[in-house]
Every structure is written in C-alpha cells, then in structure tokens.
Amino acid sequence: MSKQYTRKDALYLKAKAEGYRSRASYKLLELNKRERLFRKGMKVVDLGCFPGGWLQVAANLVSPKGRVVGIDLKEVEPLGLENVDILLGDASNRENIEKILSLLGGRSQLLLSDMSPALTGTKFGDAAKSAETARIAFELADDLLKANGSLVAKVFPGEEANELFKEFKGCYKSLRRVKLKSTRTSSNEYYIVAKNFKA
C-alpha cells in the first residue's frame, strides 16, 4: 500500500501554532541540530525561499547581527524582520546575483536550497528535475559562497543525484547525504550537505 500525502500532518499543525510559514521550518531546524550550520552574525542566502519558513528560522539563528537574503520566482509576503531581505526573480540572473551580494555586503557563509521543481509524479523524471534544480545551487556557489562556506540542497534519489554528488565532491572538504525525520513519510527526498567550500 502506497504512502499517502497528508498536508495537515502534525508538523503542519505545529508550524501553524508556532507561527512558522511552513512545516519545512522544522527541516531546517533539524538540519542545524545535526550539522551545526548556523552561527550568530552569519550571512545566509535562501534560494527558492517561498513561503518563508526557512527565512524565519535562519533569521533567528543568525541573530540580529546576521543577514539573510531570500529569492524566489513567487512573491513572498514580507516577514517584518530587519535582518531579512527578499527578492523576486531568478537567482541565476546576473543582475539578481549582484543584488544578493549587495544586500549581504559580500558573499555568504551558508547557501540554502529547498527548491523543488514542478513535480509530475513520475519517479525518474522528478528525480532528474530535482538534480537539475540542485545543480543550480551548486553552480551559484561560485558567485555567492565564501571559501569554507557550507551549502545545503534538496534532491530526490536517482542516478542524476548520484552524478551530481560525484561531480561536486571535489569542491568541498565534506559532502554527505542527510535524510530527515521531519520529512513527510510520503517523500523520499534527502539533502546534500556540503561543507568547507574550496572557492
């Protein structure tokens, strides 16, 4: 029997109760607990930041001394946080890259991507699309990530994700796959956590 997608699961309800924009906030909290990604005062970029759940978590973890810039093709309702800026547009666009760097005041120490392509329900097709989306994050590291910085990108398992892992392994001192407890039981997604970028 296949696993059923339940939108209003326990974490969805918890997010609503605690004021988070999405249940995905708990995925980033879990990632940080396991991988120690954040420090106070950090500069962070959130690629594909809609609806803003990861922005909320990141803004809190870097403290008011830090800076978080999010970008998405969808318009994100302002969070009302002084250390967060949100851009509307394509992160791969050179003009937007320059805007991100200007808002941060330089390169980031952490690059986040919870981006997901439009899914079709076809296992192999969706896996390939997710790898292409994750590739965008890895390629943007050349412009947006400081030396020794970290990157987190969501992917679905498949040959394309394996190839992506191999391709960028030499660009980081540490590259590993992380499956989260907070991921929906109906999803097979995992995160590539890359640390110590060799800029």
Side-chain angles (χ1 to χ4, degrees):
M1 186 174 180
S2 62
K3 294 176 181 176
Q4 300 232 338
Y5 175 84
T6 305
R7 182 170 182 264
K8 296 185 178 181
D9 64 0
L11 283 186
Y12 171 90
L13 298 173
K14 186 178 180 182
K16 289 293 182 185
E18 295 185 353
Y20 284 123
R21 291 274 178 93
S22 73
R23 71 182 303 289
S25 299
Y26 299 105
K27 294 195 288 185
L28 187 56
L29 287 167
E30 184 183 347
L31 277 164
N32 184 58
K33 185 176 181 180
R34 292 173 60 172
E35 300 294 331
R36 298 181 181 178
L37 298 168
F38 288 89
R39 297 188 308 278
K40 290 183 179 180
M42 285 181 77
K43 296 176 181 179
V44 179
V45 176
D46 183 5
L47 304 172
C49 64
F50 181 87
W54 277 30
L55 290 175
Q56 290 175 295
V57 172
N60 182 55
L61 291 174
V62 301
S63 80
K65 295 180 180 179
R67 192 106 212 129
V68 182
V69 177
I71 185 167
D72 201 289
L73 294 170
K74 293 182 181 179
E75 189 167 357
V76 179
E77 185 180 340
L79 294 169
L81 299 173
E82 291 188 4
N83 63 342
V84 175
D85 290 292
I86 303 171
L87 297 174
L88 176 66
D90 184 349
S92 300
N93 179 280
R94 174 48 58 179
E95 185 178 340
N96 287 331
I97 290 172
E98 294 302 327
K99 286 180 181 178
I100 292 170
L101 292 171
S102 176
L103 289 168
L104 281 179
R107 291 178 178 235
S108 66
Q109 292 141 307
L110 178 59
L111 187 58
L112 303 172
S113 174
D114 196 33
M115 293 190 293
S116 183
L119 302 179
T120 63
T122 304
K123 181 179 178 180
F124 297 110
D126 288 344
K129 285 184 177 181
S130 79
E132 289 174 13
T133 303
R135 176 180 292 280
I136 293 171
F138 275 95
E139 291 179 347
L140 281 172
D142 287 333
D143 293 303
L144 297 175
L145 195 60
K146 281 185 175 182
N148 294 315
S150 299
L151 180 151
V152 175
K154 179 168 70 179
V155 290
F156 297 128
E159 188 56 38
E160 293 84 2
N162 292 337
E163 289 301 319
L164 183 76
F165 192 89
K166 292 175 186 176
E167 182 178 346
F168 288 97
K169 195 169 185 179
C171 300
Y172 297 83
K173 291 181 182 178
S174 169
L175 200 67
R176 59 193 299 260
R177 300 173 177 89
V178 178
K179 179 74 174 177
L180 300 176
K181 293 179 180 178
S182 49
T183 291
R184 291 185 188 276
T185 55
S186 58
S187 176
N188 61 353
E189 71 183 26
Y190 65 89
Y191 289 84
I192 297 177
V193 178
K195 293 183 177 181
N196 297 110
F197 179 51
K198 301 175 184 178

